[in-house]
């Protein structure tokens, strides 16, 4: 399976849409308008998947990279996330942010909208936010929906909310479908409980910080694999993520690194190499809302 992967490979989502297996992420690029240049470059070298967020304050500039690249909109998968810190995390706040995302990106639809983090307004906030996304799908504004940084406790609660919404809104399908989940994932943070939960429901698992922000490049096992395969540590980590069945989202504002990070489809790690790089560590390099209690 792994050897057949290419940069245009996709994963079929529960929504029926196709998610390209390698994502280009753009957390808070400085200056903001650099986002247009780097997104355009990423698309020109073959990426077909952009990961943005309302909280990155550059979703408009990122989406402008689509037009600048000349790549047809229909062949690109554009994600954003809600909420932001200064909007209420509830039905009204999220409804407004979906419309803001459409206006800022000038796109006629968003491929994927994720709830960025679970905490901020407790169970009612999360249920309202999800209902706003379900309605956005029904209105044709958004194609697929999902969550980011949810712990298993939040995921179980969401399944309950979906059932409640089905009962309240007229039956099966009316509670929405979870297509994608996004978490920090790499060999030093495997999150087996969350990944299992998703796999049992065919939810695509996206991996952020897939190259651990460069902080583990001197790991001896990683160095040995890089030498053996004639690849960089970043390329080994991205290939590892793909072969785990994750959808890695890698960020760079450096044009040469954007190209380097796309060069992960001309080699393969053995099953033993994939297993051997994995660890039991729980080492977070960004943040970890998965541990937040339901009341928060
Ligand atoms: N849902 C969430 O809460 C959440 C949280 C964090 C991230 N994300 C998403 O995941 C994406 C990636 O995460 P991330 O940016 O935190 O981590 P990352 O992709 O693991 O690492 C990015 C860092 O590595 C550097 N880099 C990139 N390619 C490199 C290479 N080939 N060699 C050496 N260094 C390289 C980048 O520098 P330069 O840019 O200077 O090249 C940047 O400093 C984000 O852009 C965002 O879309 C989501």
């Amino acid at each position: 399976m792994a050897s057949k992967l290419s940069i245009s490979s996709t994963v079929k989502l529960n929504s029926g849409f196709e998610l390209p297996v390698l994502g280009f992420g753009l957390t808070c690029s400085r200056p903001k308008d650099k986002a247009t240049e780097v997104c355009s470059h990423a698309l020109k070298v073959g990426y077909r998947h952009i990961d943005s967020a309302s909280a990155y304050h550059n979703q408009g500039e990122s989406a402008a990279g689509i037009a600048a690249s000349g790549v047809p909109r229909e062949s690109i998968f554009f994600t954003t996330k809600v909420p932001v810190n200064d909007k209420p995390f509830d039905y009204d706040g999220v409804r407004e942010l979906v419309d803001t995302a459409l206006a800022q990106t000038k796109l006629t639809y968003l491929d994927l909208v994720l709830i960025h983090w679970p905490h901020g307004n407790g169970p009612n906030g999360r249920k309202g936010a999800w209902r706003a996304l379900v309605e956005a799908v029904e209105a044709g504004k958004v194609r697929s929906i999902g969550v980011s940084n949810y712990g298993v406790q939040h995921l179980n609660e969401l399944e309950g909310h979906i059932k409640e919404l089905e009962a309240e809104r007229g039956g099966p399908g009316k509670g929405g479908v979870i297509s994608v989940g996004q978490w920090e994932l790499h060999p030093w943070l495997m999150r087996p409980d969350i990944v299992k939960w998703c796999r049992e429901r065919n939810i695509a698992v996206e991996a952020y910080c897939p190259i651990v922000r460069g902080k583990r490049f001197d790991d001896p096992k990683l160095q040995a694999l890089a030498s053996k395969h004639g690849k960089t540590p970043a390329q080994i980590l991205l290939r590892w993520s793909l072969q785990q069945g994750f959808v890695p989202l890698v960020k760079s504002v450096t044009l040469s690194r954007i190209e380097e990070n796309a060069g992960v489809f001309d080699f393969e790690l053995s099953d033993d190499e994939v297993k051997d790089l994995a660890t039991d560590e729980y080492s977070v390099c960004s943040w970890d809302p998965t541990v937040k209690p339901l009341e928060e």
Side-chain angles (χ1 to χ4, degrees), residues 27 51 148-149 182 213 251-254 257 260-261 287:
T27 344
D51 184 75
S148 181
N149 296 308
Q182 184 182 120
R213 298 181 170 167
K251 176 255 176 187
S252 179
V253 294
T254 313
R257 287 175 172 173
E260 176 188 326
N261 296 340
W287 66 329

Side-chain angles (χ1 to χ4, degrees), residues 9-289:
S9 297
T10 58
V11 174
K12 184 145 183 127
L13 300 179
N14 285 335
S15 61
F17 292 98
E18 303 276 342
L19 174 70
V21 293
L22 180 67
F24 179 68
L26 256 183
T27 344
C28 309
S29 58
R30 301 273 187 272
K32 248 170 77 153
D33 56 8
K34 179 109 178 153
T36 303
E37 180 198 347
V38 294
C39 275
S40 168
H41 188 72
L43 294 170
K44 282 182 190 159
V45 302
Y47 295 78
R48 289 293 176 268
H49 172 180
I50 296 172
D51 184 75
S52 185
S54 305
Y56 303 164
H57 301 291
N58 63 6
Q59 57 189 354
E61 290 79 5
S62 302
I66 299 176
S69 72
V71 177
R73 160 67 180 114
E74 318 78 73
S75 56
I76 296 166
F77 192 100
F78 188 90
T79 299
T80 194
K81 311 184 197 86
V82 290
V84 286
N85 282 327
D86 55 359
K87 289 278 177 219
F89 181 16
D90 61 12
Y91 174 78
D92 289 332
V94 166
R95 240 173 89 102
E96 187 187 326
L97 283 169
V98 169
D99 288 339
T100 302
L102 286 166
Q104 290 183 344
T105 58
K106 301 190 173 66
L107 299 175
T108 53
Y109 65 90
L110 301 162
D111 292 280
L112 174 67
V113 179
L114 301 175
I115 296 180
H116 203 152
W117 56 78
H119 55 288
N121 210 358
N124 286 339
R126 284 187 293 275
K127 183 176 173 183
W130 183 256
R131 181 162 71 91
L133 293 189
V134 173
E135 291 181 7
V137 172
E138 291 168 352
K141 298 175 178 180
V142 175
R143 289 189 162 178
S144 304
I145 55 179
V147 295
S148 181
N149 296 308
Y150 271 40
V152 169
Q153 71 280 19
H154 304 109
L155 292 166
N156 286 332
E157 179 199 70
L158 175 56
E159 267 193 338
H161 286 160
I162 289 173
K163 288 202 180 81
E164 285 170 23
L165 288 170
E166 286 180 343
E168 290 161 17
R169 298 183 74 244
K174 291 290 185 184
V177 174
I178 312 169
S179 286
V180 175
Q182 184 182 120
W183 291 272
E184 181 182 333
L185 285 164
H186 45 67
W188 300 275
L189 186 61
M190 300 274 296
R191 302 193 186 280
D193 53 343
I194 290 175
V195 171
K196 179 167 178 281
W197 197 96
C198 290
R199 295 257 152 92
E200 286 169 356
R201 293 157 178 83
N202 192 44
I203 294 167
V205 177
E206 294 184 339
Y208 73 72
C209 304
I211 63 167
V212 206
R213 298 181 170 167
K215 289 179 181 156
R216 298 283 189 151
F217 284 175
D218 57 357
D219 177 90
K221 280 187 189 170
L222 184 56
Q223 286 284 336
L225 285 175
S227 301
K228 179 178 168 192
H229 290 278
K231 290 286 176 180
T232 64
Q235 289 171 323
I236 298 291
L237 287 173
L238 289 169
R239 184 71 205 185
W240 179 90
S241 190
L242 289 165
Q243 288 187 223
Q244 279 289 333
F246 300 154
V247 172
L249 311 169
V250 63
K251 176 255 176 187
S252 179
V253 294
T254 313
L255 301 191
S256 60
R257 287 175 172 173
I258 292 172
E259 291 165 32
E260 176 188 326
N261 296 340
V264 294
F265 297 100
D266 58 354
F267 76 108
E268 192 176 358
L269 299 172
S270 70
D271 290 347
D272 284 346
E273 287 169 343
V274 171
K275 266 192 218 127
D276 200 38
L277 200 52
T279 75
D280 292 332
E281 281 186 38
Y282 192 98
S283 298
V284 175
C285 81
S286 57
W287 66 329
D288 194 13

